[in-house]
Amino acid sequence: MRNSLRIIIVAGERGVDGNVALRLQSKGYQAVTLTAPASVMGLIYSDPPDVVLVDLSAPDEALMAVIHSLKEDFFFSTIPVIGMIPEPFAEAFDWEEYPLDDYVSLPLNARELFTRITLSLRRLRRVFDNNPLTRLPGNTSIQRAIQQAVGRPMAVCYVDINHFKQYNDVYGFAHGDEVLRMLGRIMANAVKEAGEGFAGHIGGDDFVFIVPEEQAEAVAQRIIDNFAAIASELFDEVEKLNGFYVAHDRKGNEEKIPLMGVAVAIVPTDSPKIEHYAKVAEVAAELKKLAKKSPQSCYVVDRRH
């Protein structure tokens, strides 16, 4: 956690304990105390802080207005707002009236305050990084996990659904979203069974999992098998017997679309040529093209050590 976080402390007419700002500054934070709530939003608009602390030892309409203004603004609503509330009042506090993200008790415990600030920011990062559809970690976490795997006996595996776009076009987004959720669950479960690893969702029908290299092929095959078993339920008996379903292109011409499968590109990360995240993505893109040429689900391993 960087120490240059900018924190605004908001108080009502009675002011706030000056020690709050001093304790934050001693931690390396940039702390600004505002005792005129009417000026808070202007300052936030001009220079958004990382966290807002609100002294609610004497809550009033001005402080309530500040909190609601922040939480009702689609852009600034993501800034964590932590209330400072006297311990006796916390249990009966009206959380609906004051939509806070967290609170700390007064009299203030500095260690608790620092912890609450850290946890609020970490929670915010997780919420924004996770894919809202599958709840799997997103691009920031994926990049970090890949960077940690480079140079170790691990394998970064990219997963892609064959013919997903056509399925989405024919059967609709609701069914398409269910397919993505299904693959996300299958992949996450397969990684958990491996005992060690990571599963993430890049976006659309692109996923990533990372497992020890010696388990990569087994996990990939498990995902392929489980996806095939569940995906077959998405099609009727005739389509399954034929191995395709009928769609129409933009000109109205009939097309035979193969049933969905998955392509997996496996990139071992202990190779000298794999030095950074970008190289992993480059090699995976090559392998994925090969895997998608197969009429069946398959995985392709980079064995060019």
Side-chain angles (χ1 to χ4, degrees):
M1 183 71 64
R2 64 188 173 92
N3 285 339
S4 57
L5 294 175
R6 187 166 176 274
I7 299 174
I8 287 180
I9 306 162
V10 184
E13 294 181 353
R14 294 173 53 185
V16 64
D17 182 356
N19 287 331
V20 177
L22 289 176
R23 288 177 176 177
L24 292 170
Q25 289 163 358
S26 71
K27 191 73 173 176
Y29 298 144
Q30 300 175 36
V32 178
T33 302
L34 301 175
T35 55
S39 65
V40 172
M41 294 310 297
L43 182 62
I44 289 176
Y45 288 145
S46 62
D47 190 8
D50 296 292
V51 176
V52 174
L53 294 179
V54 183
D55 181 7
L56 294 172
S57 56
D60 58 30
E61 291 186 358
L63 293 174
M64 189 195 313
V66 168
I67 298 171
H68 277 274
S69 294
L70 271 171
K71 291 306 171 187
E72 291 169 2
D73 187 301
F74 79 94
F75 188 80
F76 296 105
S77 63
T78 58
I79 299 173
V81 178
I82 301 174
M84 296 183 287
I85 302 172
E87 178 65 34
F89 302 159
E91 188 172 348
F93 201 80
D94 190 339
W95 304 108
E96 292 293 332
E97 192 173 16
Y98 291 86
L100 302 169
D101 295 292
D102 205 344
Y103 83 97
V104 290
S105 300
L106 293 175
L108 201 62
N109 179 306
R111 184 174 298 175
E112 180 189 10
L113 175 62
F114 298 149
T115 301
R116 295 290 186 180
I117 290 171
T118 300
L119 292 178
S120 291
L121 292 169
R122 288 183 176 176
R123 185 163 56 243
L124 183 67
R125 284 204 297 269
R126 285 198 302 272
V127 168
F128 269 81
D129 188 45
N130 282 17
N131 186 282
L133 183 65
T134 61
R135 306 295 184 190
L136 290 173
N139 289 322
T140 300
S141 298
I142 291 170
Q143 183 171 346
R144 187 184 307 122
I146 292 176
Q147 287 170 336
Q148 291 172 349
V150 170
R152 298 175 55 207
M154 305 292 286
V156 176
C157 310
Y158 284 71
V159 183
D160 183 281
I161 303 176
N162 298 331
H163 312 296
F164 176 73
K165 182 182 182 305
Q166 295 96 324
Y167 179 85
N168 220 21
D169 291 343
V170 173
Y171 294 95
F173 288 107
H175 289 286
D177 286 351
E178 183 53 34
V179 171
L180 297 177
R181 282 192 288 267
M182 183 179 72
L183 178 56
R185 288 195 297 271
I186 289 172
M187 189 181 69
N189 288 339
V191 170
K192 285 179 184 174
E193 289 177 24
E196 178 188 359
F198 168 89
H201 187 177
I202 298 171
D205 63 332
D206 292 313
F207 294 79
V208 165
F209 70 89
I210 302 172
V211 291
E213 184 178 350
E214 71 272 13
Q215 297 194 46
E217 292 185 61
V219 173
Q221 189 59 55
R222 194 175 303 137
I223 292 170
I224 288 171
D225 293 342
N226 291 340
F227 184 83
I230 296 178
S232 68
E233 302 301 321
L234 301 173
F235 302 97
D236 62 32
E237 293 303 319
V238 174
E239 291 170 334
K240 284 190 281 188
L241 183 64
N242 291 335
F244 64 84
Y245 58 94
V246 176
H248 295 84
D249 64 18
R250 292 179 180 178
K251 296 181 179 179
N253 299 319
E254 192 173 283
E255 292 182 304
K256 295 179 180 178
I257 308 297
L259 307 187
M260 285 184 293
V262 290
V264 185
I266 299 176
V267 183
T269 50
D270 62 347
S271 167
K273 70 178 182 182
I274 302 296
E275 298 174 340
H276 49 73
Y277 168 81
K279 187 63 179 179
V280 176
E282 177 186 323
V283 174
E286 296 174 11
L287 300 180
K288 198 165 71 172
K289 285 181 182 177
L290 292 175
K292 291 183 76 69
K293 287 181 179 178
S294 170
Q296 307 294 331
S297 293
C298 73
Y299 62 82
V300 176
V301 185
D302 181 26
R303 303 189 191 279
R304 299 168 292 180
H305 294 284

